[in-house]
Amino acid sequence: MATQYEISGATAKEIAASVERGVTDGTLEPGVALPPVRRLADGLGVSPGTVATAYKELRQRGIVVTRGRGGTVVASSPAVASRRPPKVPEGLRDLAGGHPDPGLLPALVPPSRLSPGARSHRSAPRLERLEDAVRDWLGAEGVPAEHVTFAHGALDLIARVLSVELRPGDAVAMEDPGYHHLLDLVTAMGLRIVPVAVDDEGVRPEAVRGALRTGVRAVVFSPRAQNPYGGCFSEGRRQTLVEVLRDASDALVIENDHASAVADAPLRTVTGAGPARWVHVRTVSKFLGTDLRWAAAACDPVTLARHDGRLLLTSGWVSHLLQETVHGLMTDSGTRALVARARETYARRRTALGRELAARGIASHGASGMNLWVPVRDESAVVNGLRSYGWWVAAGARFRLASGPGVRITAAGLEPADAERLASDFAAVLGESEATYGG
């Protein structure tokens, strides 16, 4: 749709700043179309090249996107305005957030031994004992763990790696549907997304092969607990992907194992077997606590050097207090027992909901992890319909690129008895929407 916001400026920099102000204050909302280049140039009395330069800068910074004949529009999650998930309406059961059950998380107790005085840790950014624990953790599941590093969460690590490997305009192969914050991040970095279809076994090899043929510079996927679809690699899928990636010498492969310990599926990693350039990323927020903004990664030596070089120039290191806390939890027998119980509980709850939905003729996907993806014809009708029954689920639009509509349901805190009621309400909503929209 056309916008009434009046863009101003006589130079490319001024025009770009004017658009940015409109996006920042909310006048130019996501999806709003900007004027065609020539029309805006005529209106401002500048050359079309000046407007084109302004639009290019805005694209590179992730503020706008170009949709071919659809023109230039404000990005769905512009980099200058943080998009937060909608607030859960009062009185509704929240099944939209993708969060773990708080009752299955350990208590976060800061270490009693604090870092002495004000000093730099740049010469020794990682605690040796935590490095050893990470190598044991990753190596036990077949990930080559000679070279490891830490970051402030998985998104922080992935962003840093992409920033040193790619330039604005480069293409990245991403899961579709995929993790919405990661999709937003890549767009905000000015990178171009090539959608890669997924199924119950993870990314589809033919889709990855097709993306590589287009010249993508990086491929990002999850080997298990894929968010939101729940897919996990079978051994056959893993082997096929290894063969596809073996010839992709120019592409960096990022394996995002975000749920790891509570994924309820074995890790079938492609690292060390297929790609020459690779990163295996793990975070602990799903099973040790969402406030533990820490991630570990194993990677090839070139990627390690580039990541750590950029880290050195920015935050320098991950807090040693945070590292001490993570190490204490990872090596505590009681915490390990709690994580094992969480893994079993999430599997039981996810399976129960899938079974109840299937009993009512509703197909869903969720082979591993905490979520189920339910394909639907009309996302808004389902989300609003379930809201009337007291449930709050996530519309699939935030996760999709080219794939079909659906909703994501987080089953992490949903007891089997509640699953039966939700499935019944879901069936009722589908019946109501078919009556409303013509079936």
Side-chain angles (χ1 to χ4, degrees):
M1 67 178 180
T3 175
Q4 299 303 311
Y5 178 78
E6 204 157 318
I7 299 172
S8 61
T11 66
K13 185 175 181 179
E14 291 173 351
I15 294 168
S18 175
V19 173
E20 183 174 344
R21 283 194 299 273
V23 174
T24 302
D25 66 22
T27 308
L28 290 175
E29 298 179 345
V32 167
L34 301 186
V37 169
R38 289 190 178 277
R39 185 197 303 168
L40 182 58
D42 290 343
L44 296 176
V46 300
S47 72
T50 298
V51 175
T53 300
Y55 282 9
K56 179 180 179 181
E57 178 185 340
L58 291 165
R59 279 197 305 273
Q60 291 178 339
R61 294 173 51 214
I63 298 174
V64 302
V65 295
T66 299
R67 294 177 175 170
R69 293 184 178 180
T72 299
V73 303
V74 178
S76 59
S77 180
V80 296
S82 61
R83 179 178 67 170
R84 301 293 183 183
K87 186 177 181 180
V88 181
E90 186 175 351
L92 298 190
R93 180 76 177 273
D94 182 12
L95 304 178
H99 304 305
D101 184 342
L104 295 171
L105 296 175
L108 297 183
V109 180
S112 58
R113 184 176 61 228
L114 300 181
S115 180
R119 60 191 179 89
S120 172
H121 295 302
R122 291 180 189 273
S123 59
R126 294 183 291 275
L127 295 180
E128 186 175 349
R129 54 187 171 278
L130 184 54
E131 279 191 308
D132 291 340
V134 166
R135 288 192 175 94
D136 291 342
W137 182 32
L138 299 178
E141 294 193 274
V143 178
E146 180 181 359
H147 306 286
V148 300
T149 190
F150 303 157
H152 303 91
L155 289 175
D156 174 65
L157 195 147
I158 292 172
R160 190 173 295 108
V161 169
L162 290 176
S163 72
V164 297
E165 295 287 342
L166 281 68
R167 295 292 178 267
D170 286 345
V172 182
M174 306 285 292
E175 296 167 322
D176 181 23
Y179 181 42
H180 56 93
H181 288 309
L182 190 51
L183 296 175
D184 291 345
L185 171 66
V186 169
T187 300
M189 294 178 69
L191 302 173
R192 181 167 53 88
I193 295 177
V194 176
V196 174
V198 302
D199 58 23
D200 292 326
E201 295 183 60
V203 288
R204 297 180 179 178
E206 67 275 12
V208 175
R209 184 180 289 110
L212 291 170
R213 286 173 178 163
T214 69
V216 296
R217 295 287 311 282
V219 182
V220 185
F221 54 70
S222 295
R224 53 184 172 181
Q226 195 274 341
N227 187 2
Y229 209 86
C232 56
F233 290 173
S234 65
E235 182 55 38
R237 175 62 55 88
R238 172 198 171 276
Q239 187 55 46
T240 303
L241 285 171
V242 165
E243 294 170 1
V244 169
L245 296 169
R246 187 170 286 144
D247 297 329
S249 58
D250 294 334
L252 174 67
V253 174
I254 301 176
E255 193 173 69
N256 182 18
D257 192 21
H258 65 96
S260 62
V262 289
D264 183 42
L267 174 66
R268 297 184 175 96
T269 179
V270 303
T271 61
R277 298 288 313 286
W278 58 272
V279 186
H280 177 92
V281 186
R282 286 193 186 181
T283 183
V284 296
S285 59
K286 296 299 184 186
F287 53 91
L288 294 185
T290 52
D291 274 335
L292 288 179
R293 308 311 299 164
W294 175 86
C299 48
D300 67 84
V302 172
T303 303
L304 176 79
R306 292 178 178 177
H307 172 274
D308 285 5
R310 181 61 58 87
L311 179 66
L312 182 67
L313 295 173
T314 52
S315 57
W317 67 88
V318 175
S319 164
H320 280 204
L321 299 181
L322 178 58
Q323 292 188 49
E324 289 276 13
T325 303
V326 172
H327 180 264
L329 291 170
M330 287 182 66
T331 57
D332 176 68
S333 59
T335 299
R336 288 198 296 267
L338 180 61
V339 171
R341 181 159 67 89
R343 179 173 58 250
E344 296 168 359
T345 301
Y346 294 148
R348 184 176 70 252
R349 292 172 179 175
R350 186 191 70 247
T351 302
L353 179 56
R355 184 173 58 246
E356 294 293 344
L357 290 170
R360 292 159 179 80
I362 303 171
S364 65
H365 302 274
S368 59
M370 300 179 179
N371 304 301
L372 279 87
W373 177 261
V374 186
V376 298
R377 189 169 61 85
D378 188 317
E379 292 178 0
S380 296
V382 170
V383 170
N384 291 324
L386 286 174
R387 176 177 180 172
S388 69
Y389 284 89
W391 306 104
W392 187 246
V393 302
R398 301 182 72 198
F399 307 90
R400 298 187 292 108
L401 297 167
S403 57
V407 295
R408 190 192 72 173
I409 304 174
T410 300
L414 196 68
E415 293 290 354
D418 294 328
E420 182 178 2
R421 181 167 65 89
L422 173 59
S424 295
D425 292 343
F426 205 119
V429 167
L430 290 181
E432 292 166 2
S433 67
E434 286 182 0
T436 302
Y437 296 100

